Amino acid sequence: MKLLPVSLAALAAASLATPALADDHGAQTEQAAEQYPMTPEGAANWVAMVEKDLFDYSVHASQIYWVNATYITHDTDALAAKVGAEGTEKSVNYALEAAKYAEIDGLDPEVARKLDILRNGIVLPAPTADGAATELNEIATSLNSQYGKGKGTLNGKEISGSDIEAEMGNLERTPAELAEMWASWHTNVGAPMKDDYARMVEIANEGAKELGFDNVGTMWRSGYDMPPEEFSDELERMWQEVAPLYQSLHTYVRTKLNEKYGDDIQPATGPIRADLLGNMWAQEWGNIYPLVAPEGSGDLGYDIGDLLTAQGKDPIDMVKIGEGFYSSLGFKPLPETFWERSMFTKPADREVVCHASAWDVDNKDDIRIKMCIKVNADDFVTIHHELGHNYYQRAYNQQPYLYLNGANDGFHEAIGDFIALSITPEYLVQIGLLDRKDVPSADKDIGLLLRQAMDKVAFLPFGLLVDKWRWGVFDGSITPADYNTAWHDLKREYQGITPPVERPDDAFDPGAKYHIPGNTPYTRYFLARILQFQFYKAACDQAGWKGPLHRCSFYGNKEVGEKLNAMLEMGASKPWPNALEAFTGSREMSGKAMMEYFAPLKEWLDKQNAGKPSGW
């Protein structure tokens, strides 16, 4: 569920310097030195110029990207590629200049914050040395292309990436077939990338040093309003808060897999075989829920899609219901342009990108969603999630351009996710979709919580280790010779997962996960999983909810809406602890709310696990 404001974060999502940059940068630097001298006032004026330029550019770029996503043709592809290259050039040039202005003594704190945002806005910085930008761009493009063309095998026949992902979740597949798909995908896709990836790390680290950072990993961790080492410690602290829940889930799922497959395939102790968990990376386990579900407790008794169909609701009605949730909290209605300009269903006459996304086209109030909505439960939840992005975007639209973003990169996804957690039976009763007599009894809760935990809890260690591995690669503590060994060591340490077959030391299994060759920072997904429960508990506490946390509904509570808006309207203007405190009263991200949410499940899991070995 993609968020798409073309703010600095979007400009730099794939910010690899283009060949023109190195030639052009010297002349631009001379011009900037004349107009904006290296003084506090010069820095402030330079930042003001940059914000105006990026604001204007982002509106133009957003319009082009929107047309390209909703009307895919050769020409719109070309327009999008051209405007993307312009954005890359701007973000790289401005980052290099920001690094120089950041060295000035006596900067206004707001100016210093904006300079840091500009410096941190590039994912992979290229150094200014001749040819470096070109080489980095070529390698990054090649890695993306290699992943996109990647294929595995099933019963000896080639199978594409999207198909092999689906088949890993097919419960009809045998352990031998699962092992073949897992091994072939990791070998075919990952191994050929290794040398290119190592070279890319070398070049990007040089670029990071020019921007004033030790390495790329330090640069990534510098965007969290605290020293990079302190942020690493904070992540580990949050993980330790939720690790007991993960360990209980791991023990229970391992037992069920042992019962199904026997000791030869999945031993009753130690790590779980990676290919048996329904996902190529063992990052979410929901696909194997039928194998582990408690008998009789997983049937909800109703289906949201059926409830919507019974009342004759169409896709627009579903979006209106989602809007109604936010209106009940006191947020003003969506603008008329939202309804005129959004794409709600798949057009019959053209190709479009159906993947759900939320857009802020003009940085003011031209907010939209893009979906191919079907009348079902998944899309009902997704609508509530995507609208969370839109209301966040509108709440901070009075901020300067560089603050048009979430408080940190975990916040935006967490807002949509915590609203989606609120789609409880009680909420469905309140909006007239479900009769109170049909609200499932408490004995259904364990199955429902287990199903949710198979994705949200199972994901946590993977969400942590992807960047943990990358930070080691960037700082040199993990060398190319140890890339693969270190990857699997981390997967075993944090996930309790082991490959189904022996892996050679010269393999490059990390490359078989898109976000590695795609150079997408991953910590944001871990933070969003933690924060969504923290936001949800804060809202339920404010609403005076007295029952089990997982059954809470704060629909209709204006006090919750007022406090939520106070956090949202800050955007990225203040350090994230300030934003967090505005809504939750705490300045610390914490997994305690997630533990409370899943407390009934944890108690049940521990009973099921009694007498069984825990850990790996």
Side-chain angles (χ1 to χ4, degrees):
M1 290 154 222
K2 190 175 173 188
L3 161 70
L4 235 165
V6 185
S7 62
L8 187 78
L11 290 183
S15 279
L16 304 169
T18 55
L21 250 51
D23 302 332
D24 204 33
H25 188 66
Q28 292 188 7
T29 301
E30 287 175 24
Q31 185 180 4
E34 292 174 14
Q35 285 187 271
Y36 308 105
M38 290 290 163
T39 64
E41 185 181 5
N45 291 337
W46 181 80
V47 166
M49 177 278 294
V50 169
E51 288 200 283
K52 183 181 187 311
D53 182 50
L54 290 178
F55 186 104
D56 294 343
Y57 164 81
S58 73
V59 175
H60 174 63
S62 292
Q63 291 169 332
I64 289 174
Y65 285 137
W66 176 266
V67 173
N68 183 227
T70 59
Y71 207 106
I72 302 171
T73 68
H74 168 78
D75 296 314
T76 64
D77 280 349
L79 289 168
K82 183 173 185 293
V83 82
E86 289 173 26
T88 296
E89 184 170 343
K90 285 179 186 295
S91 60
V92 173
N93 279 336
Y94 288 153
L96 289 166
E97 289 304 302
K100 296 172 187 173
Y101 283 110
E103 298 296 317
I104 297 171
D105 291 330
L107 287 172
D108 177 275
E110 290 290 312
V111 172
R113 182 171 180 79
K114 290 176 180 179
L115 289 170
D116 279 344
I117 289 172
L118 284 165
R119 270 199 321 155
N120 292 334
I122 305 177
V123 175
L124 278 190
T128 52
D130 283 350
T134 303
E135 186 180 2
L136 183 61
N137 198 41
E138 287 173 350
I139 292 174
T141 302
S142 171
L143 290 174
N144 257 306
S145 178
Q146 287 179 59
Y147 188 91
K149 295 174 183 174
K151 289 181 170 57
T153 65
L154 174 59
N155 295 319
K157 296 178 180 175
E158 272 197 349
I159 180 171
S160 71
S162 58
D163 288 342
I164 204 169
E165 280 187 44
E167 286 301 325
M168 287 298 292
N170 182 349
L171 298 179
E172 301 300 313
R173 292 296 169 195
T174 66
E177 289 172 323
L178 293 171
E180 179 198 356
M181 287 190 288
W182 189 99
S184 62
W185 177 258
H186 282 79
T187 297
N188 295 354
V189 176
M193 298 177 179
K194 184 177 178 180
D195 291 342
D196 278 350
Y197 191 85
R199 176 60 183 149
M200 182 190 72
V201 168
E202 286 178 19
I203 301 171
N205 271 341
E206 287 302 312
K209 284 170 184 168
E210 287 190 21
L211 292 174
F213 301 101
D214 294 341
N215 59 70
V216 175
T218 302
M219 187 179 84
W220 286 9
R221 296 196 303 282
S222 294
Y224 293 96
D225 301 303
M226 60 177 62
E229 301 75 22
E230 190 179 325
F231 180 65
S232 299
D233 293 342
E234 280 292 282
L235 289 176
E236 189 63 29
R237 176 188 57 77
M238 284 184 265
W239 164 241
Q240 292 304 330
E241 287 177 333
V242 295
L245 175 59
Y246 178 79
Q247 193 164 57
S248 294
L249 181 67
H250 182 282
T251 302
Y252 174 78
V253 169
R254 180 180 60 197
T255 299
K256 290 293 183 182
L257 292 173
N258 173 254
E259 289 171 1
K260 177 172 177 60
Y261 294 116
D263 291 342
D264 289 345
I265 302 296
Q266 176 55 61
T269 61
I272 297 175
R273 212 177 95 168
D275 58 326
L276 303 180
L277 288 163
N279 176 276
M280 182 64 78
W281 309 279
Q283 69 182 63
E284 290 174 332
W285 306 349
N287 284 329
I288 66 161
Y289 176 71
L291 298 183
V292 305
E295 192 171 346
S297 67
D299 178 17
L300 196 53
Y302 68 85
D303 177 82
I304 292 176
D306 293 342
L307 296 175
L308 291 164
T309 301
Q311 294 191 13
K313 304 295 186 187
D314 63 19
I316 300 293
D317 295 325
M318 292 165 68
V319 182
K320 290 280 187 186
I321 292 171
E323 179 191 35
F325 186 100
Y326 294 88
S327 296
S328 83
L329 301 180
F331 289 92
K332 64 181 183 181
L334 292 164
E336 277 304 309
T337 53
F338 172 87
W339 303 101
E340 294 163 2
R341 299 172 186 173
S342 289
M343 186 185 87
F344 300 114
T345 55
K346 187 178 189 308
D349 63 340
R350 61 186 191 267
E351 290 300 315
V352 299
V353 178
C354 275
H355 184 76
S357 55
W359 295 62
D360 176 8
V361 174
D362 68 352
N363 302 319
K364 293 176 185 172
D365 55 11
D366 188 357
I367 49 179
R368 314 175 187 180
I369 60 170
K370 176 185 61 60
M371 290 182 65
C372 299
I373 299 171
K374 294 183 169 57
V375 181
N376 61 36
D378 283 349
D379 282 6
F380 185 75
V381 172
T382 298
I383 287 164
H384 285 69
H385 173 99
E386 295 302 335
L387 290 180
H389 290 307
N390 284 147
Y391 281 94
Y392 203 168
Q393 290 161 335
R394 186 168 68 176
Y396 57 55
N397 69 6
Q398 297 302 307
Q399 295 290 348
Y401 178 79
L402 290 173
Y403 294 157
L404 298 177
N405 217 326
N408 70 36
D409 60 4
F411 269 63
H412 242 297
E413 286 299 321
I415 295 300
D417 285 344
F418 113 84
I419 295 297
L421 284 175
S422 312
I423 302 176
T424 60
E426 179 63 24
Y427 166 57
L428 298 177
V429 170
Q430 289 172 303
I431 61 174
L433 265 186
L434 184 67
D435 285 337
R436 189 164 292 283
K437 65 178 176 57
D438 296 326
V439 171
S441 56
D443 64 344
K444 304 288 187 189
D445 284 8
I446 293 302
L448 296 172
L449 286 170
L450 178 59
R451 176 63 185 83
Q452 211 166 22
M454 294 288 282
D455 284 341
K456 291 188 182 289
V457 177
F459 175 82
L460 291 168
F462 187 78
L464 191 66
L465 72 84
V466 172
D467 279 351
K468 208 169 180 67
W469 177 84
R470 266 193 294 214
W471 296 338
V473 168
F474 286 131
D475 72 19
S477 60
I478 297 174
T479 65
D482 296 325
Y483 276 177
N484 216 54
T485 304
W487 175 256
H488 288 296
D489 285 349
L490 283 167
K491 285 180 72 67
R492 185 182 182 106
E493 178 185 353
Y494 283 93
Q495 286 185 287
I497 301 298
T498 193
V501 296
E502 286 292 320
R503 302 302 293 156
D505 288 343
D506 62 351
F508 186 54
D509 292 345
K513 171 64 180 170
Y514 167 74
H515 297 74
I516 299 291
N519 295 300
T520 305
Y522 213 73
T523 301
R524 64 189 66 167
Y525 303 113
F526 175 82
L527 295 178
R529 286 296 204 282
I530 295 288
L531 283 167
Q532 64 183 271
F533 291 95
Q534 196 168 356
F535 293 157
Y536 183 69
K537 176 171 168 52
C540 294
D541 287 348
Q542 291 161 24
W545 180 260
K546 299 300 181 191
L549 183 57
H550 63 276
R551 283 185 165 243
C552 161
S553 169
F554 50 85
Y555 175 79
N557 192 291
K558 299 290 194 293
E559 180 189 347
V560 171
E562 192 176 327
K563 288 196 171 180
L564 177 58
N565 190 63
M567 174 173 73
L568 300 185
E569 68 185 6
M570 295 165 75
S573 67
K574 302 291 181 192
W576 64 258
N578 295 35
L580 186 65
E581 186 177 31
F583 185 52
T584 69
S586 171
R587 296 180 62 81
E588 183 177 85
M589 293 185 285
S590 171
K592 290 175 183 173
M594 180 184 242
M595 292 298 288
E596 181 179 340
Y597 185 94
F598 286 108
L601 176 65
K602 175 76 163 65
E603 183 181 349
W604 182 85
L605 286 171
D606 289 346
K607 286 179 183 173
Q608 309 306 306
N609 295 338
K612 297 183 176 69
S614 182
W616 47 85

